């Protein structure tokens, strides 16, 4: 199974949580649009992991901004960006 390059960055944060890592999460939000008053940060995480791996994300704090970002990959590609209908975005990390 292939893995997209930004997953190495994302894996560094598998144990992160709002309870323990809020300063870092606020930095991700600041990088995208600076609005630290909002609660959702999934698109900020995706965008910053892409940036840290040398790619340009959508530049938006909206999960749906990734709906048409990039190009299609094979099913079950580790690191594929998944946009959910309930306004969430994440990386596919396997079963």
């Amino acid at each position: 199974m292939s893995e997209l390059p930004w997953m190495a960055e994302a894996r560094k944060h598998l144990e992160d949580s709002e309870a323990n890592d809020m300063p870092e999460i606020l930095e991700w939000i600041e990088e995208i649009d600076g609005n630290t008053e909002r609660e959702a940060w999934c698109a900020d995480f995706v965008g910053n992991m892409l940036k840290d791996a040398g790619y340009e994300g959508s530049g938006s704090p909206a999960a749906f901004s990734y709906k048409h970002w990039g190009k299609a990959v094979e099913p079950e590609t580790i690191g594929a960006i998944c946009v959910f209908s309930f306004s969430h975005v994440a990386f596919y990390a396997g079963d």
Side-chain angles (χ1 to χ4, degrees), residues 16-62:
D16 288 4
S17 71
E18 291 175 350
N20 299 321
D21 301 289
M22 204 59 202
E24 185 170 29
I25 292 168
L26 290 173
E27 285 179 28
W28 296 331
I29 293 171
E30 191 69 37
E31 286 281 324
I32 300 298
D33 77 343
N35 180 4
T36 57
E37 297 299 313
R38 60 188 165 75
E39 293 181 14
W41 52 273
C42 57
D44 301 296
F45 175 77
V46 168
N48 277 278
M49 296 307 101
L50 293 169
K51 181 182 73 111
D52 290 351
Y55 294 84
E56 187 173 331
S58 73
S60 171

Side-chain angles (χ1 to χ4, degrees), residues 4 6 50 55-56 66-75 77 79-82:
L4 296 169
W6 44 81
L50 293 169
Y55 294 84
E56 187 173 331
Y66 284 96
K67 187 172 182 179
H68 300 289
W69 182 91
K71 52 187 164 180
V73 294
E74 291 295 315
T77 299
I81 296 173
C82 305

